[in-house]
Amino acid sequence: CELSTDYHQLVLKNYLCVRRLAKLNAIAVPAAMDEGLVKALEFSMYVHKPDGVVPTLSDGDARGFLDLLMQGYELYGREDMLYVATQGQRGAPPAKRSVHFSASGYSIIRSGWGENGNSFNDEQYLILDCGPLGAGNHGHFDCLSFELAAYGRSLVVDPGRYTYSESGDINWRVKFRGTAYHNTVVVDGKNQTRYEPRAIKDASRHAKGSVRHKVTGPAPQHELRAFASRERFDFLHGIARSHEYDAVHQRRLFFAFGEYWICCDTLTSPSPHRYDLLFHLAEHAQDRISIKRDRGTLSVCSPNLVIAQEDRYDAMELGVEPGFVSYRYGVKQPAPIVRFNQNGADAKFQTVLYPYRDQAPNILMRELAVGAEDGSNADACAFFITVGSGERSKTDYCFYSNGQARQWRFGPYLFSGSYLLLRKDAYGEIVAVHANPGAHLSELGQSSNGWDR
């Protein structure tokens, strides 16, 4: 109920001890206990990153619990748990590549499980939090935040908890728990949930009269509007509505052709705000970041990751600032924070996150004008992304809207639907199309009646 990815493992560890003792002593247990343990083990199986570490969402440490999955195999004969416990050396891969856990709001996407000649450790991984705050004063203010890993490294990370202490010149507990220490959009520098100092009335482990911060307002309303997963494509659409401000945050994540990620953030409000889109990078990126402006594209290059947006001098600011990550209680390491800023009532951030193994790719981004065929105002966005150059280049068209009743015109296409990802090769041939069920696409100037997906 605390929704800590780490504490989940500790509770599971304790119950597995009870279950193993019962088995050793031939003591029967209720069927519901085994059913609950299997569900807990399945979450553990999927939440482990390819390097064998569980990301630290909400309070907890970042560490591995592959031994618990081995116990799951020994107790229940699950070959998929054996496969993940041995990182692909034994057993059979899990049936699903991507999963959503509705109670916690955690969605997990992988590029694969080490099949088809790929290394298990090199697979790409993303976990999105679009769920409740969590009980027990351990939840962080991180709705729509995510962590990203690829090629054996964590690239965009949840900074962790660091400490429960609120003493010292800097209140690190408040800092690490706050929205600005997560990979989401901060509105006017505020937390998504009201978090205020309160005096301790009765002596406990905290001295009477001392001050501790407490959650004093409701958590954001959260909604996962879409979750789609098919071969070489995934799509997530989450919405957060905070009670601390009137801006509504929608985040759409595309996993494009099993290669890279497109993060689309839209914020709408009746009043102006400052919007800060934050990406916390891992400690290995410290002092190893470069910024490049090329052909209207702004790229932030770090080890194994390029973060790119269209370069809009008049509408957006970019900064790289110092931060910290903490994988163990009481220990923090310097790590950079990438910040994109916009001001206004509404804002859009279209971000490419491109993991790479050896050489950073060249990326070009351009937004496309969108018009509704019925003449109404366009409530949609489209852009294209070109990766590479020459005969090895590829161009991906990305589109999303808040509804699918209208027919939209952008670039050379007419489209009715809520999301689309289309790839053209270097010769302009369409080689892949992904869209929502029931969508319809046609290319202007072609006699085709379009493609249904």
Side-chain angles (χ1 to χ4, degrees):
C1 66
E2 292 173 336
L3 303 187
S4 158
T5 49
D6 182 46
Y7 287 172
H8 174 92
Q9 316 299 326
L10 301 181
V11 173
L12 175 58
K13 179 179 180 179
N14 290 339
Y15 275 100
L16 283 173
C17 286
V18 175
R19 185 62 182 87
R20 290 165 60 210
L21 283 170
K23 182 179 181 181
L24 288 168
N25 290 277
I27 299 173
V29 302
M33 180 177 182
D34 281 328
E35 291 171 4
L37 280 171
V38 168
K39 287 182 179 180
L41 283 162
E42 287 177 343
F43 178 79
S44 180
M45 178 177 69
Y46 282 105
V47 80
H48 273 86
K49 293 185 287 188
D51 64 358
V53 174
V54 174
T56 173
L57 275 63
S58 291
D59 284 343
D61 293 338
R63 47 188 164 177
F65 294 89
L66 298 179
D67 60 312
L68 302 187
L69 298 179
M70 184 61 75
Q71 292 180 44
Y73 165 70
E74 294 167 352
L75 283 169
Y76 305 112
R78 291 282 298 263
E79 292 287 327
D80 51 354
M81 294 180 187
L82 175 63
Y83 186 87
V84 178
T86 61
Q87 296 185 286
Q89 298 303 305
R90 298 166 55 195
K96 296 180 180 179
R97 181 176 57 81
S98 301
V99 290
H100 171 65
F101 294 91
S102 58
S104 65
Y106 291 138
S107 298
I108 302 166
I109 297 173
R110 290 174 184 268
S111 56
W113 291 100
E115 316 98 320
N116 304 319
N118 297 324
S119 166
F120 183 97
N121 285 26
D122 283 351
E123 297 283 13
Q124 297 199 37
Y125 167 106
L126 181 142
I127 180 169
L128 172 72
D129 181 354
C130 185
L133 176 61
N137 205 38
H138 284 295
H140 288 196
F141 315 136
D142 58 353
C143 193
L144 300 187
S145 182
F146 65 85
E147 180 157 333
L148 171 65
Y151 301 111
R153 274 183 162 173
S154 295
L155 302 175
V156 178
V157 301
D158 186 300
R161 66 173 166 184
Y162 180 48
T163 183
Y164 293 144
S165 172
E166 295 196 25
S167 61
D169 295 335
I170 298 176
N171 193 326
W172 290 106
R173 170 60 174 165
V174 170
K175 196 173 185 71
F176 271 82
R177 197 179 184 190
T179 301
Y181 251 55
H182 295 87
N183 303 302
T184 186
V185 177
V186 178
V187 180
D188 296 332
K190 296 181 177 180
N191 287 318
Q192 295 171 339
T193 302
R194 187 163 299 179
Y195 190 44
E196 297 177 319
R198 289 288 187 267
I200 302 297
K201 295 181 180 179
D202 300 314
S204 59
R205 62 192 180 101
H206 305 296
K208 183 178 181 180
S210 62
V211 175
R212 299 281 298 178
H213 279 71
K214 298 291 184 181
V215 172
T216 58
Q221 296 175 347
H222 58 275
E223 176 190 356
L224 187 69
R225 181 162 292 182
F227 174 93
S229 181
R230 58 188 76 122
E231 186 177 0
R232 294 179 60 79
F233 174 81
D234 295 89
F235 175 73
L236 296 171
H237 179 191
I239 304 174
R241 298 177 175 89
S242 173
H243 298 271
E244 297 303 296
Y245 38 79
D246 57 11
V248 177
H249 180 197
Q250 297 193 57
R251 169 163 279 181
R252 295 169 174 87
L253 285 164
F254 295 82
F255 187 31
F257 310 106
E259 296 172 10
Y260 70 99
W261 308 83
I262 307 170
C263 180
C264 303
D265 293 291
T266 60
L267 296 110
T268 54
S269 170
S271 56
H273 296 280
R274 174 187 170 94
Y275 299 111
D276 291 289
L277 170 63
L278 303 173
F279 297 108
H280 294 256
L281 306 187
E283 72 285 354
H284 62 256
Q286 182 70 15
D287 300 322
R288 299 178 67 188
I289 289 181
S290 61
I291 297 174
K292 179 177 70 172
R293 283 187 157 97
D294 180 37
R295 298 180 297 166
T297 302
L298 184 60
S299 298
V300 180
C301 302
S302 65
N304 298 111
L305 180 67
V306 174
I307 302 174
Q309 289 195 11
E310 186 172 358
D311 195 359
R312 292 179 284 172
Y313 287 91
D314 58 339
M316 184 181 66
E317 296 178 358
L318 166 66
V320 178
E321 57 195 57
F324 293 94
V325 295
S326 175
Y327 303 126
R328 294 290 184 271
Y329 188 88
V331 179
K332 67 182 189 300
Q333 300 170 264
I337 305 170
V338 177
R339 180 188 300 268
F340 295 95
N341 162 256
Q342 292 184 41
N343 296 292
D346 300 337
K348 290 187 297 185
F349 299 93
Q350 323 293 357
T351 311
V352 166
L353 298 117
Y354 205 112
Y356 66 94
R357 182 195 298 276
D358 300 314
Q359 185 173 356
N362 292 317
I363 297 173
L364 170 66
M365 295 184 66
R366 287 289 187 280
E367 188 167 354
L368 299 168
V370 179
E373 286 296 288
D374 60 7
S376 58
N377 292 330
D379 187 18
C381 183
F383 53 96
F384 72 83
I385 304 158
T386 299
V387 181
S389 58
E391 295 184 353
R392 303 188 65 177
S393 68
K394 51 211 173 189
T395 298
D396 297 335
Y397 287 81
C398 185
F399 169 90
Y400 61 86
S401 72
N402 287 325
Q404 61 183 62
R406 300 173 184 167
Q407 188 172 54
W408 308 97
R409 180 191 298 264
F410 60 92
Y413 301 108
L414 288 175
F415 179 71
S416 60
S418 56
Y419 66 84
L420 168 74
L421 190 65
L422 178 150
R423 169 162 288 186
K424 285 187 172 182
D425 63 17
Y427 303 99
E429 296 294 325
I430 296 176
V431 294
V433 179
H434 295 286
N436 60 286
H440 187 80
L441 171 72
S442 59
E443 191 166 6
L444 300 175
Q446 299 292 324
S447 60
S448 169
N449 291 325
W451 299 268
D452 287 309
R453 293 291 186 269

